[in-house]
């Protein structure tokens, strides 16, 4: 999220590795199980500024709004889990365990996206920014992690191919690195 306006690695994150308690929620749209934990206003603001998001929350139908809430929370969980590993002095010890759970985590994102062009449906929402950033961080962390998931690779290409995103990524304002601050063990350069 740092590269698209947020701050990667905020918060303590889950202590359970890539398969967080919300992983099951990615495949279950039951509103009774949802409880929004945080709002990522900066990414929403950026999505508005780039003209890809009209509705302040994202999603038009109730199902789409639920998908926004689920993915927003899941993306933050996963981002925080990776940050916890990358900032830990025990990085080398934690990395293999994290990598072991990575395929399952990526599979959850793949299943949630399904055959849709965007995570909520046919229209891009701010959570696509979050999903892109989480997937891109993991693609940098483990370059082959998306290889088994063509729909996620297509999503990445579709996102990077958006006119304003593409122009931004080619501009001097885009900072591909560092991914985290100097105190991180990985992604700090």
């Amino acid at each position: 999220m740092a590269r698209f306006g947020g701050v990667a690695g905020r918060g303590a994150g889950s202590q359970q590795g890539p398969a967080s308690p919300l992983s099951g929620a990615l495949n279950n749209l039951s509103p009774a199980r949802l409880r929004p934990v945080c709002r990522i206003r900066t990414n929403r603001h950026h999505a508005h500024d780039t003209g890809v998001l009209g509705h302040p929350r994202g999603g038009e139908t109730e199902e789409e709004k639920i998908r926004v809430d689920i993915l927003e929370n899941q993306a933050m969980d996963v981002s925080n889990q990776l940050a916890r590993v990358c900032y830990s002095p025990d990085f080398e010890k934690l990395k293999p365990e994290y990598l072991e759970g990575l395929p399952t985590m990526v599979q959850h994102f793949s299943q949630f996206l399904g055959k849709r062009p965007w995570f909520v449906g046919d229209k891009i929402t701010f959570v696509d920014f979050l999903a892109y950033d989480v997937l891109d961080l993991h693609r940098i962390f483990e370059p082959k992690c998306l290889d088994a998931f063509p729909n996620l690779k297509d999503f990445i290409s579709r996102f990077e191919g958006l006119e304003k995103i593409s122009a931004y990524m080619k501009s001097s304002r885009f900072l591909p690195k560092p991914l985290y601050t100097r105190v991180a063990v990985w992604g700090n350069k």
Side-chain angles (χ1 to χ4, degrees), residues 8 87 178-189:
Y87 277 90
L179 303 172
Y180 295 111
T181 65
R182 287 182 285 180
V183 295
V185 176
W186 180 87
N188 60 357
K189 296 177 183 167

Side-chain angles (χ1 to χ4, degrees), residues 4-184:
F4 287 102
V7 179
R10 291 184 306 175
S14 171
Q15 302 297 316
Q16 297 185 356
S20 77
L22 286 179
S23 297
L26 284 172
N27 296 314
N28 183 349
L29 292 177
S30 170
R33 295 183 139 188
L34 303 178
R35 191 184 81 183
V37 227
C38 66
R39 294 285 175 226
I40 300 111
R41 298 184 199 294
T42 308
N43 282 297
R44 285 183 184 169
H45 176 73
H46 187 74
H48 280 289
D49 283 354
T50 58
V52 298
L53 178 63
H55 189 274
R57 181 172 179 213
E60 295 172 1
T61 68
E62 188 60 26
E63 180 180 328
E64 288 175 348
K65 291 173 184 175
I66 290 169
R67 291 182 69 82
V68 165
D69 287 342
I70 290 170
L71 187 58
E72 178 183 16
N73 289 308
Q74 183 68 13
M76 284 304 299
D77 269 2
V78 171
S79 179
N80 287 338
Q81 290 164 15
L82 180 60
R84 181 181 60 85
V85 171
C86 293
Y87 277 90
S88 175
D90 294 327
F91 172 78
E92 293 300 331
K93 181 180 169 187
L94 296 173
K95 183 179 177 181
E97 182 182 340
Y98 190 85
L99 288 173
E100 186 178 317
L102 188 56
T104 301
M105 182 275 295
V106 175
Q107 181 180 18
H108 288 301
F109 277 89
S110 177
Q111 289 171 340
F112 194 68
L113 177 62
K115 295 182 180 183
R116 294 171 193 84
W118 304 107
F119 276 91
V120 173
D122 292 331
K123 296 179 183 176
I124 192 169
T125 65
F126 86 98
V127 292
D128 291 299
F129 282 76
L130 301 177
Y132 171 83
D133 199 60
V134 166
L135 294 170
D136 189 47
L137 282 171
H138 283 85
R139 180 175 64 161
I140 296 166
F141 188 72
E142 174 50 59
K144 296 180 181 184
C145 74
L146 301 181
D147 286 356
F149 305 99
N151 65 334
L152 294 179
K153 290 172 78 171
D154 290 346
F155 166 79
I156 294 283
S157 296
R158 193 169 22 263
F159 186 90
E160 290 175 348
L162 292 168
E163 184 180 344
K164 291 183 180 184
I165 296 297
S166 178
Y168 171 71
M169 292 178 82
K170 291 174 186 170
S171 77
S172 61
R173 294 182 306 141
F174 177 68
L175 303 173
K177 293 183 180 178
L179 303 172
Y180 295 111
T181 65
R182 287 182 285 180
V183 295

